[in-house]
């Protein structure tokens, strides 16, 4: 299906042309790197988390990214306010449930966000997604120890249940909107040696769903783009820190043609 | 006017010799990079934002940098406390009104800081500065979409109105103290691909006004130094992330002679 | 004593094999870099500071790192809760008293943490440690201006008084558990040009005490490993930012044999 790769490249072209503003309410570990990844891909990030301004800020946004990595009750309240305003305006919402399953605060805040906000894309690692879906994944801190065995079934069932695109990322990424399951086979092991690489791809997804019409395809495309950049960056990296530098440079430099040639995405009906 | 370049190099020499402590109350995106830029230029950064300690911390400082990039009402309160103590002690205050105009919280907090604290230098992009001055710049998130057409007139009028040095930075930087207008013609487009590059130069301005007698000249010098470093760094950068690494290394390595040779500053009476 | 170097290399091997989860409640400047250092050495960092979840999160941890660099009363309360739960579970606690002595909030919070939590390792620069011990070190912001002259006596007296390993780091690092004093002679001056290099080594200490049986040896080993990595990284660095990249890459790449060959640790009875 060459039209998948063409559509993915078209999404990148639109991000670079339209510079979508992506409003982030995110964690303290990744504020800088997710902003830099957003800029590198051509998007325009804004970080704003005060309850007093989030509803007003999200009006400028083409996408809202919510990330609970260092959540407090106050930031969750701001996420709910921003998320509901995004829903009212038709702005897509991407949720990264960092560490869901590790503590009650994380698990319950994720449940609350999923029930009180219409989420467009839920992106986590296999353990987080399995926990949220009740598949019994185990989570230790913010690490995923294991996911569900049948990932494709899990993400498609959860997509139907929550009415959202669900992406469980890992060596292979599984994405479903309930009708289709996409798998993405790009990526590199060095991504596991840098903090926030999951959060960064969530920001890329935010930009892609901000400009794309099909959230499943936008999510798969963002994952392929990011994973392919990691593969290229790994060739010149000497370790985790030079890898991160090369990753951001590669996201910036990759042409749309390189992306459509290198993306390894398969989409099948459920 | 070779004395301008000489004075600028002298400011850098003094920063490196005197290692001024620069107290920052800044945003969550740039805490790390503004501290690293401060260290690279020879200053000594401290980040402290708790209401309970800011007045005590600012007593050690040669400059106070306030940045509202991820403001909350609590951090604005801390900025007011620290700013008023700085005023009492004669410590210069530099204000970076990130995103002023995008939300009421940002616009009103900027107005409050400007009215309740004597600010030495106000540095923003053209859109932020135009908004604060009532010139109708438009701001989307933290991006500036357009500034006032006649920048020199704008900054000099605002400098007189607010009784502060006003710096509107962009391709050309415009700085005025109400009597003189300085323009700085250093810089590089890659600065727009990295988050917090405006916040970083605000920290450089903090260090320079901390050691310099003439805030207009100190501000122009800091902008020239930073812009020149960006020009040099861009030559060896492969993209935004390697550019940021090279930028900080270049700030650290640049000699005072290189600065006085490369600075492109013009100063004229209003 | 070749057994010291062997034991240190064994600690590194265990970190890489056991990937200890290190729970951090740390400052806003270093959240990203301390997480990245933790991952580079093979540990598994988690950052969580909400009062509502810290006790639950620390149950997964092999070590708890507390760092007051940008403290607020709320974060200190969370540190007390997490620290007391860590004590109950036998999880070692490492405290980094950033800026103790600069403000009453920092000094008193440090005193409170040391009196209400059983701290396994207290690591600061000479000025911070001297201040906490009442030796009259002077602290300006978060910089240490001077430490006690007789460092070995100071750390051993403080270790006995507080019932904790005390590490005062600088050109030479002094570590004592009250019975022995270890000195570490690794390191590089470029460490003073990057923000959070002290906080980063505190995270390395956290991982090492998480897997090691002897906190004095684990602390000395972590300091030697980190200092040796700095020496190696400095050879290829062009300035502070490329040094930081090389430092993290070197921590990741260093073999256990390189560490046992390059570590310069001496241990003597008090």
């Amino acid at each position: 299906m060459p039209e998948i790769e063409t559509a993915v490249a078209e999404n990148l072209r639109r991000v670079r042309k339209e510079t979508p503003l992506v409003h982030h309410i995110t964690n303290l570990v990744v504020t800088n790197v997710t902003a830099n990844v957003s800029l590198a891909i051509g998007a325009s990030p804004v970080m704003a988390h005060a309850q007093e301004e989030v509803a007003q800020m999200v009006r400028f946004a083409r996408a809202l990214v919510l990330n609970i990595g260092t959540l407090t009750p106050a930031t969750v309240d701001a996420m709910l306010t921003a998320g509901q305003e995004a829903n009212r305006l038709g702005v897509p919402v991407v949720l990264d449930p960092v560490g869901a399953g590790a503590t009650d605060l994380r698990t319950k805040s994720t449940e609350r966000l999923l029930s009180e906000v219409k989420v467009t894309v839920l992106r986590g690692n296999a353990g987080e997604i399995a926990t949220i879906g009740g598949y019994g994944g185990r989570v230790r801190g913010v690490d995923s120890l294991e996911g569900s065995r049948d990932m494709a079934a899990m993400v498609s069932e959860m997509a139907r249940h929550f009415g959202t695109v669900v992406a469980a990322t890992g060596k292979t990424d599984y994405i479903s909107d309930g009708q289709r399951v996409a798998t993405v086979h790009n990526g590199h092991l060095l991504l596991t040696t840098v903090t926030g690489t999951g959060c960064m791809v969530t920001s890329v997804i935010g930009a892609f769903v901000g400009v794309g019409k099909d959230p499943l395809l936008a999510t798969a495309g963002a994952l392929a783009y990011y994973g392919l950049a990691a593969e290229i960056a790994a060739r010149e990296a000497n370790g985790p820190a030079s890898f991160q530098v090369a990753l951001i440079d590669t996201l910036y430099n990759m042409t749309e043609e390189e992306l459509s040639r290198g993306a390894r995405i398969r989409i099948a009906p459920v």
Side-chain angles (χ1 to χ4, degrees), chain A residues 148-235:
Chain A
S148 167
R149 227 149 316 151
D150 192 341
M151 302 288 290
M154 179 177 79
V155 293
S156 61
E157 284 167 24
M158 286 178 65
R160 281 192 297 275
H161 177 75
F162 289 110
T164 177
V165 169
V166 175
T169 58
K171 194 167 183 313
T172 300
D173 305 319
Y174 292 83
I175 309 108
S176 180
D177 61 0
Q179 314 300 315
R180 299 164 291 173
V181 174
T183 52
V184 178
H185 304 269
N186 295 100
H188 194 279
L189 204 58
L190 274 172
L191 286 169
T192 63
T193 67
V194 176
T195 195
T197 50
C199 308
M200 291 183 222
V201 80
T202 298
S203 290
V204 180
I205 292 170
F208 272 54
V209 299
V211 301
K213 280 174 214 123
D214 180 341
L216 176 99
L217 191 59
T219 302
L223 287 163
Y225 170 38
Y226 187 75
L228 179 60
E231 295 166 28
I232 296 168
R235 286 177 213 148

Side-chain angles (χ1 to χ4, degrees), chain A residues 5 15 43-44 62 84 86-87 91 95 120 127 161-162 172 228 243 250 254 256 259 267:
Chain A
E5 287 72 21
V15 169
S44 178
R62 297 280 293 273
Q84 287 161 2
N87 287 170
V91 174
L95 173 61
T120 313
H161 177 75
F162 289 110
T172 300
L228 179 60
F243 171 70
T250 305
M254 195 187 299
E256 289 127 44
L259 174 56
I267 300 182

Side-chain angles (χ1 to χ4, degrees), chain A residues 109-121:
Chain A
S109 297
T110 301
E111 287 166 3
R112 204 172 157 206
L113 286 162
L114 282 168
S115 73
E116 298 182 28
V117 174
K118 162 115 192 67
V119 170
T120 313
V121 183

Side-chain angles (χ1 to χ4, degrees), chain A residues 2 7 13 34 38 62 74 87 113 115 123 126 130 152 163 186 233 236 245 248-249 259 266:
Chain A
R13 199 188 59 74
T34 54
S38 299
R62 297 280 293 273
N87 287 170
L113 286 162
S115 73
R123 198 241 31 112
N186 295 100
E236 56 183 282
V245 170
I248 291 175
D249 282 358
L259 174 56
R266 288 199 199 98

